[in-house]
Amino acid sequence: LAVDPLNPILVLNVAIRHFERGEQQQAERLYLRLVNAPQPAANVGFALHVFYYRVGRFDEAIRWLRHFAIAGRGNVSDVSDSDIAGYVREVAYAYLRIGKFGEATDWSALADSYDPNRIASDTFAFSSRIMQGQTAEAAEIVNAVAASLGPQASTLDADIRSGLGLRHIIVGQYEQGIKLLEPEISFDVLDAGRRYGQKISTLEHILHLAFAYRQTGRSEDAIELLKKTETVLERLIAEGAHEIPDIYTSLALAQGLLGDGAAARTSLARAIELGWIDYHFAIHSDMWAQAFQDNDLRLLLSGVKDEVDRQSAVVTAADAATDFRTEMEEILASREPRQ
C-alpha cells in the first residue's frame, strides 16, 4: 500500500484482512479511501455495504448501495440477472434487520423477479417471520422445505443440512434439528486460521445445538458443549477477536445458558458497545430468553432497540426524499437486453 495506496485490489484485500482480525476502524478507513479515489472501483460500493452490514450499521450499508447504484446506473447492461438478484437481496436483508419488514419483502420480490430461487426465497421468508415473532408461520416454511426434500435431506450438502437443522431448532422442532445439525458440528472451523464469518456461523449452530440438547433432556451434553464453546471463545478474544461483537454475543449466550448471568450481562454489554444490533432476532428467540431468564431481556436490549429505530428513521427519511426501490426499478428497466 505504501507503493500503490489507491490500488483497489490491494486496498480491498488489506481492508478485508483488517476486518477479519476484528480491526474495524482500520478496515473502514481503507474502504473510504477507495470512495475518495479519482475513479472508484465498481465493487467498492458493494464492499462498503458488506462491511457496514456485518458491523451492524445497516443505514450506512443501504446508503452506500444506493450511492453506487445511482452513480453506476449506466453500467448495468452487462450484469447478469442472477447478480442483480443477489445485489437486491442484500438490500432486502438490510431493510429486514432494521425492522422495515414490508419494504424488505418488496425488495425480496424484486430479486425473485430477476432470479426465482426457492432456497433464497424460503430463507428470506423464514428470517422475516422469525424477526416478527411469527414462529408458527416460520415453522410452516421449515416443514414445507423438509417435506419437499423427503429422504434426500440426509444426502444434501452439509451446509444445507446444517442450515435446515438450525431452522428446525429455532422453531422448536428440536429432535429434527439435532438429527440434521449434530453430524455437521466441528470445532475445527474455530481454528485461528479461519475467517470470522465462518466462525460466527459455526458458533450459532453450536449454541443452538446445545440449547436443543437441553430442551430434549440431554443436559450433560448441553453443558459439555457450552463449556467447550466458552473456552474457545475466550481463546479467540485473547487471540485478537476483541472487536467483533458477534463473538461477545456468542459468549454471552454460552455463559447465560450455563447459568452465569453476571458474566452473560457483561459480555452482552461489550457486544452492544461494539455495535451489535440484532434486536429483532434476539427479542423473539427462545434461546435468548432462556440465557437471560433472570433478567428483563427487553430492558437489557433497550439501547439496541433505540439504535435500530434510529437507523430505520434515517432510511425512512432517505426513501421519503427519493425512494430507493423506485430508483432501482428504473435503473434496471433501462437495461439493454443481453445478447
Side-chain angles (χ1 to χ4, degrees):
L1 286 178
V3 175
D4 194 359
L6 291 180
N7 183 304
I9 296 176
L10 283 176
V11 174
L12 285 175
N13 285 340
V14 175
I16 290 169
R17 180 68 61 86
H18 279 302
F19 180 76
E20 292 295 345
R21 290 175 178 172
E23 298 163 349
Q24 294 184 16
Q25 292 182 351
Q26 296 92 320
E28 184 176 20
R29 280 197 296 269
L30 287 173
Y31 283 126
L32 293 177
R33 177 193 293 185
L34 286 182
V35 172
N36 296 319
Q39 292 182 321
N43 59 343
V44 171
F46 191 74
L48 274 166
H49 164 80
V50 171
F51 170 75
Y52 284 120
Y53 186 98
R54 291 179 67 181
V55 300
R57 294 162 64 182
F58 303 110
D59 56 336
E60 287 294 304
I62 293 169
R63 181 170 80 89
W64 284 110
L65 280 181
R66 179 200 295 264
H67 174 82
F68 277 90
I70 295 170
R73 64 186 305 145
N75 302 318
V76 295
S77 295
D78 293 331
V79 181
S80 69
D81 285 353
S82 62
D83 284 345
I84 286 173
Y87 176 98
V88 171
R89 286 192 178 99
E90 291 289 338
V91 181
Y93 275 102
Y95 275 82
L96 190 65
R97 297 290 288 275
I98 55 175
K100 295 182 72 65
F101 301 116
E103 293 88 339
T105 299
D106 290 340
W107 278 100
S108 180
L110 179 60
D112 289 340
S113 71
Y114 281 88
D115 182 29
N117 183 312
R118 173 70 184 274
I119 293 176
S121 297
D122 287 343
T123 299
F124 175 85
F126 176 85
S127 298
S128 180
R129 297 299 189 186
I130 288 297
M131 290 185 188
Q132 295 178 75
Q134 299 171 351
T135 306
E137 291 85 348
E140 291 177 2
I141 295 170
V142 175
N143 293 336
V145 172
S148 69
L149 295 173
Q152 296 179 352
S154 61
T155 65
L156 294 173
D157 176 83
D159 288 342
I160 296 177
R161 285 200 306 273
S162 60
L164 182 58
L166 176 67
R167 289 171 177 80
H168 276 300
I169 292 171
I170 288 172
V171 300
Q173 299 171 350
Y174 302 117
E175 295 289 359
Q176 299 99 309
I178 291 171
K179 182 179 179 181
L180 288 169
L181 190 54
E182 191 174 48
E184 311 307 330
I185 293 297
S186 171
F187 279 84
D188 292 343
V189 179
L190 302 178
D191 289 343
R194 302 299 184 99
R195 292 194 171 195
Y196 278 106
Q198 293 175 296
K199 294 175 183 178
I200 299 305
S201 176
T202 298
L203 286 165
E204 181 183 23
H205 290 180
I206 290 171
L207 289 167
H208 277 87
L209 180 61
F211 176 67
Y213 283 160
R214 176 166 287 175
Q215 299 304 103
T216 54
R218 295 172 60 179
S219 294
E220 290 185 3
D221 291 333
I223 291 171
E224 180 182 355
L225 198 56
L226 289 168
K227 285 184 175 179
K228 187 173 182 180
T229 302
E230 184 180 28
T231 299
V232 170
L233 284 165
E234 289 171 345
R235 173 177 61 79
L236 289 174
I237 290 170
E239 290 175 349
H242 51 83
E243 290 189 22
I244 298 179
D246 287 313
I247 292 291
Y248 284 95
T249 52
S250 296
L251 181 58
L253 287 166
Q255 292 166 331
L257 291 171
L258 285 168
D260 192 346
R265 289 192 295 274
T266 299
S267 296
L268 179 58
R270 178 58 177 154
I272 294 170
E273 180 184 347
L274 290 170
W276 177 84
I277 196 179
D278 206 1
Y279 174 84
H280 288 289
F281 177 79
I283 206 67
H284 297 299
S285 166
D286 290 338
M287 181 175 69
W288 274 80
Q290 189 173 113
F292 293 91
Q293 60 184 337
D294 297 328
N295 311 286
D296 183 346
L297 187 57
R298 290 187 184 275
L299 180 61
L300 287 170
L301 299 182
S302 60
V304 178
K305 177 64 163 57
D306 290 343
E307 175 59 15
V308 170
D309 290 345
R310 184 198 68 78
Q311 292 192 22
S312 180
V314 168
V315 174
T316 297
D319 279 342
T322 308
D323 185 70
F324 185 17
R325 187 165 54 85
T326 300
E327 286 181 308
M328 181 58 69
E329 289 174 343
E330 291 174 353
I331 291 169
L332 296 177
S334 69
R335 285 201 312 163
E336 296 179 3
R338 300 186 77 205
Q339 300 298 322

